[in-house]
Amino acid sequence: MTTIIVVNIVSAVISEIATASRQIWSFARDDGFPFSDFLKKVSPGWNIPLNAVVVNFVFGVAISLINLGSSVALGAIVSLTLASLLSSYMLSIGCMFLKRIRGEPLPPAALPLGRWGLAINGVALAFLTAFFIFCFFPTTRLVDASTMNWNSAMFGGITMFATTWYLVGGHKKYRPPVDIQNRKL
C-alpha cells in the first residue's frame, strides 16, 4: 500500500517540476523574470529548459527542507500558495468582468457564458474576494509568533518586490505574448 502512495507522489512531483519549469521558461522567454537570460536558455541536444528545471527543483527542495526547521514557516508558505492562487483567479475574472461592464468585445471562448456572464463573473469575484480576505486571518483567537498567519507579510513582500522590479526595469524588457505572436516574421 505504501508503494502505491510513493509512486503517486513521485509521479506528481515529476509532473509538477515539468509543468512549473516550462511556465518559468515561457515567462523568462518574454523577459518577465529577473535573470531571464539565464532561465530562458534551452539546452542544445536535450531540447528542454534545463536551467528552469534546475531552478525549480532547487526551490522545491529548499521549500521542502523548511519543514525540518519550522512547521510554522512551511504552513505560511502553503497559505501563501492559496492567496496567490486566489489572487490570480481574481485578476483574470476581474479583467473579464471589466470588459463585460465596458461592453468591449470578448476573446473567443470554447464555453462562452453568454448573457449570464456578467452575473457569473460578479458572483465569482465576490466569492473569491471573501476567501482572499479570510486566508490572511490567523487560525486562533490568541495569536503569538507560532499561531500568527504570516501570509499577509509574505504576500505583501512578494507583491512589493514584483511591483518594484517591474517599475524599475521590468517594463522596459518584458514583451507580452501578444506582441510576440503578432510580430512580422
Side-chain angles (χ1 to χ4, degrees):
M1 199 60 155
T2 305
T3 306
I4 294 171
I5 294 171
V6 169
V7 168
N8 283 334
I9 290 173
V10 169
S11 299
V13 167
I14 291 170
S15 176
E16 183 279 328
I17 289 175
T19 303
S21 63
R22 276 153 180 80
Q23 289 175 342
I24 290 170
W25 172 81
S26 66
F27 204 50
R29 176 199 60 205
D30 302 337
D31 292 320
F33 265 142
F35 311 111
S36 288
D37 291 333
F38 173 75
L39 293 170
K40 67 183 172 183
K41 288 183 182 171
V42 175
S43 300
W46 288 31
N47 293 329
I48 62 168
L50 189 59
N51 293 347
V53 171
V54 170
V55 167
N56 182 36
F57 179 75
V58 167
F59 271 95
V61 168
I63 289 171
S64 298
L65 292 175
I66 287 174
N67 194 32
L68 296 177
S70 170
S71 60
V72 174
L74 183 65
I77 291 171
V78 170
S79 181
L80 176 65
T81 61
L82 175 63
S84 301
L85 189 64
L86 291 174
S87 67
S88 70
Y89 291 160
M90 289 170 57
L91 188 62
S92 59
I93 293 172
C95 289
M96 292 298 289
F97 187 72
L98 191 59
K99 277 187 160 296
R100 289 180 190 280
I101 288 176
R102 291 179 177 168
E104 296 175 6
L106 298 173
L111 300 169
L113 299 177
R115 62 183 173 149
W116 294 99
L118 184 64
I120 292 170
N121 289 153
V123 169
L125 276 176
F127 177 80
L128 289 170
T129 302
F131 270 85
F132 181 73
I133 291 168
F134 282 116
C135 78
F136 294 107
F137 281 38
T139 56
T140 61
R141 281 187 55 201
L142 301 173
V143 178
D144 60 7
S146 65
T147 59
M148 170 65 181
N149 187 349
W150 295 99
N151 189 10
S152 55
M154 292 171 52
F155 187 82
I158 290 172
T159 302
M160 287 191 309
F161 170 77
T163 303
T164 302
W165 180 83
Y166 181 78
L167 293 175
V168 168
H171 71 280
K172 296 173 187 169
K173 291 178 63 177
Y174 176 65
R175 298 166 302 154
V178 171
D179 289 350
I180 295 170
Q181 183 180 12
N182 294 336
R183 72 177 185 258
K184 293 182 180 179
L185 300 175

